[in-house]
Every structure is written in structure tokens, then in C-alpha cells.
Amino acid sequence: LLWASSNPSVLSAQVALAGAGLSYGALAIIVPVWLSKAVGSSNFSRVYGKVFLSWGVAGLLAPWLGGYLFEGSGNYQVTFIVAAIASL
């Protein structure tokens, strides 16, 4: 995404969106499988609910934070850097 923000073009946007879509689609499959192996079947539903609740809260707050950072810096590069750090 940092590459796409420094190379504004239709192709870079398409590559970034394809990468984000593939990553998100893979996570929808990988997270439940990994989580069930990590916490066991007896705790899976409780932990899985917390994971998706956190995902939902992030989905609500991230656009607001991205807009706030954009207004403060004038570009989205800071927003992408914060998102990259948060994903670690």
C-alpha cells in the first residue's frame, strides 16, 4: 500500500486492491482454522467472538482515524504507515 500511495495510478490502485482483497479473503479462512488449533474446540466460540468483535470495532474506527490523519497531514501516507504498524 505504501508503494501505491507513492505511485498514484490506476494500475497501482488495482494491484493494491487486489492484494488487500486476497489477503482479507485468506484471513477469513485462516483465522478460524488457526484459532481452533490454538485455543481448542472448548474455547473456540468464545475467543472467535472476541476476534470478530475486535475486527468490527477496527472497521468502525479505522475510517475515522484515517480521515483524521489525512486532515492533519494532507496525504494518506501517514495513514498507511499507521495501518502497517497496527497490523504487526
Side-chain angles (χ1 to χ4, degrees):
L1 291 175
L2 288 174
W3 169 77
S5 69
S6 63
N7 294 320
S9 71
V10 173
L11 178 61
S12 64
Q14 290 172 333
V15 168
L17 288 173
L22 290 171
S23 298
Y24 192 78
L27 280 176
I29 296 168
I30 294 170
V31 167
V33 172
W34 177 82
L35 202 57
S36 68
K37 289 182 180 182
V39 300
S41 60
S42 60
N43 294 323
F44 174 75
S45 59
R46 181 178 49 83
V47 175
Y48 193 60
K50 289 180 181 180
V51 167
F52 263 88
L53 177 65
S54 301
W55 228 331
V57 169
L60 289 172
L61 295 180
W64 174 83
L65 179 61
Y68 181 79
L69 292 172
F70 175 79
E71 288 177 357
S73 66
N75 61 38
Y76 284 108
Q77 191 161 6
V78 173
T79 304
F80 288 138
I81 291 170
V82 169
I85 292 170
S87 69
L88 298 176

